[in-house]
Amino acid sequence: MAYKDFREFLEVLKEKGELIEINRKVALDLEVGKALRKSAAISGPALIFNQNGTKFPLVGGIYNSRSKALLAFQSNEEDLFKNVLDGLKKPIAPIKVSKGPAQENILTGEKIDLSALPIPKYSPADGGAYITPGIVVSQDPETGIPDLGNYRFQVMDKKTLSFLAQPNHRFGKHIAKARKMGLKTYSVALVLGVDPILAYTCQFQVSDTTNDYEVAGGLRREAVQLIPCTTSNVLVPAFAEFVLELEIDLTKNIFEGPLGEYTGYYTPGSLKPIANVKAITHRNDAFFQALLTGVPPTENHVLKQIPFEASFFNTMKEQFPTLKKLAFPLSGGVSFYLVMGLEPRFAGEARQAILAAMASNVRPKVVIVVNTDIDVHNSTEVEWAVSFRMQPEEDTIIVKDIPAGPLDPSILDSIPLDSRVASSIGIDATYPFGSIVDDGSNRDGSSNLKETKGVLYFKVAEVPGWQTYDFPELDKARRGS
Ligand SMILES: Cc1cc2nc3c(=O)[nH]c(=O)nc-3n(C[C@H](O)[C@H](O)[C@H](O)COP(=O)(O)O)c2cc1C
């Protein structure tokens, strides 16, 4: 059974020792960030800050480790990928209901006060307090098809927020479209505290015409229940802890930022759109949510990794059927650095895979292809392949002037986000096509080849049978007796 809501997930985390409550005063200004970072650094528990200076408990770190991700997906590591891919293939339409707990409390007019919410400032040079775990529900201004995506919002005053929607993300595309249609305002919702699969759904890479609630339904194996906002026709999850109903002013900008970003560096401040809060609705005894972004790994990266890898695998597998696994490592911000494991069926196929990856909306800056004997998640194995299976002059490609990852700090910040182009490097670290590769079937040291001159010959110098070698002295030494 899918998790019904955020609270049910918190209960499971608590049961498994993955959530603790902090019952002393912790300051929203930088101290919450320190605590979240310290716990995440040891893959530690999620934290509930009960005394944060507001009446709402603040929950952070619920997506900070792989073990919590497995609890969210209700899966073990072995079955995870298959379960996720199965869910992606069977979308389930959402159900519209007339009311839900998300609107047990409705605050409008003078009652709207963002300073009454526990919104932390995470890094010292941040422009202010930031809502980082919020899910924007933005309906395509033309078709009405909803997108779910995580977007950060800076608090400007009691009723005003500003935000960044990168031009290659759907919310950014919706805003661009609304502007083009001549709209002066555009209504969206910012949702906090939802069942974990709904949160992970935001990061699946789907087409711009996909209804993300249907994707969530497929992944949950159960329809998401939706209610309309009180001030617009935007549909939001009925069991959310908080919903901020926003009206974006498409005519004005405000200075937003800087913010410590998922690249591990600050993005400088710049002029960005204004979002006016038209209503705040919340459950009784609602939980607010915190999420630390910054030097990888953080919750931001963990949240993206499973969805990015699964959806990208789905797309690439169609053209490259020998693709066995791929990795978007946390260190590359889960987008800038990609490793794919496949067996080229003909000369140049690894290169095709590199170019296909570079052409995707993820915009990886470094793409490495290795054979399937390499564990794509093990950087030592990947570096081993790069070191010995390729020749730089023949096996690297640099493609110039393609759309860049907009927040890459190695690009001049004076260039507008939608105008940033850069280069991407591909490394084909698979065995050169046509070379002779001893597959290990005769790792007893013998070789069918008596003479290898004139061909590229790779035989792994493995010590055969070491895994199953009976070694009682070592066992004894390790037991310390
Ligand atoms: C915690 C978190 C915060 C994010 N904040 C932003 C943001 O402020 N602006 C942005 O453009 N993308 C942000 N992203 C990335 C997008 O949410 C994400 O990659 C998503 O896929 C949106 O693009 P799509 O709907 O076009 O697939 C964030 C991701 C995470 C996990």
Side-chain angles (χ1 to χ4, degrees), residues 147 150-152 164-166 169-170 202-203 205 291 300:
D147 170 61
N150 293 102
Y151 295 87
R152 58 48 151 28
L164 166 71
Q166 295 177 48
H169 292 158
R170 274 171 83 185
C202 295
Q203 299 307 323
Q205 300 293 300
L291 181 147
N300 180 309

Side-chain angles (χ1 to χ4, degrees), residues 77-89 221:
E77 191 68 57
E78 294 74 58
D79 300 330
L80 176 69
F81 214 60
K82 188 182 168 307
N83 287 347
V84 169
L85 292 178
D86 283 351
L88 275 183
K89 284 185 192 123
R221 272 83 173 155

Side-chain angles (χ1 to χ4, degrees), residues 124-338:
D126 285 358
Y130 267 93
I131 302 173
T132 47
I135 296 172
V136 169
V137 184
S138 69
Q139 297 176 176
D140 185 306
E142 214 168 30
T143 64
I145 297 172
D147 170 61
L148 304 178
N150 293 102
Y151 295 87
R152 58 48 151 28
F153 281 75
Q154 185 184 339
V155 177
M156 294 296 165
D157 61 38
K158 270 168 63 165
K159 290 183 171 192
T160 316
L161 297 161
S162 182
F163 60 96
L164 166 71
Q166 295 177 48
N168 58 325
H169 292 158
R170 274 171 83 185
F171 179 32
K173 292 173 190 165
H174 288 171
I175 291 176
K177 203 184 233 185
R179 283 211 167 97
K180 216 168 174 182
M181 287 164 66
L183 302 181
K184 300 269 179 293
T185 61
Y186 173 51
S187 294
V188 300
L190 182 62
V191 180
L192 287 111
V194 293
D195 86 73
I197 296 303
L198 204 45
Y200 274 98
T201 300
C202 295
Q203 299 307 323
F204 280 90
Q205 300 293 300
V206 291
S207 79
D208 286 357
T209 51
T210 302
N211 179 333
D212 276 353
Y213 283 129
E214 292 180 7
V215 179
L219 292 166
R220 303 173 80 237
R221 272 83 173 155
E222 206 177 310
V224 181
Q225 294 188 34
L226 302 176
I227 49 171
C229 280
T230 61
T231 60
S232 72
N233 65 358
V234 176
L235 294 173
V236 291
F239 292 93
E241 294 293 325
F242 271 91
V243 177
L244 276 56
E245 302 184 5
L246 308 179
E247 188 182 79
I248 299 169
D249 183 341
L250 296 171
T251 65
K252 284 193 209 116
N253 280 325
I254 193 166
F255 191 85
E256 186 262 10
L259 176 71
E261 262 292 354
Y262 75 101
T263 57
Y265 298 90
Y266 285 101
T267 45
S270 62
L271 288 174
K272 308 242 180 44
I274 292 176
N276 293 306
V277 185
K278 292 302 194 187
I280 297 177
T281 75
H282 67 84
R283 291 182 72 156
N284 291 337
D285 303 316
F287 292 95
F288 204 77
Q289 206 188 331
L291 181 147
L292 182 73
T293 297
V295 181
T298 68
E299 267 188 274
N300 180 309
H301 307 96
V302 176
L303 252 181
K304 285 194 283 205
Q305 194 173 42
I306 293 167
F308 271 44
E309 289 178 357
S311 36
F312 203 69
F313 181 84
N314 233 2
T315 316
M316 294 292 284
K317 182 85 177 166
E318 288 190 9
Q319 191 185 344
F320 305 100
T322 67
L323 180 67
K324 189 172 150 204
K325 270 254 154 108
L326 57 80
F328 279 109
L330 303 174
S331 52
V334 193
S335 50
F336 283 81
Y337 191 96
L338 166 67

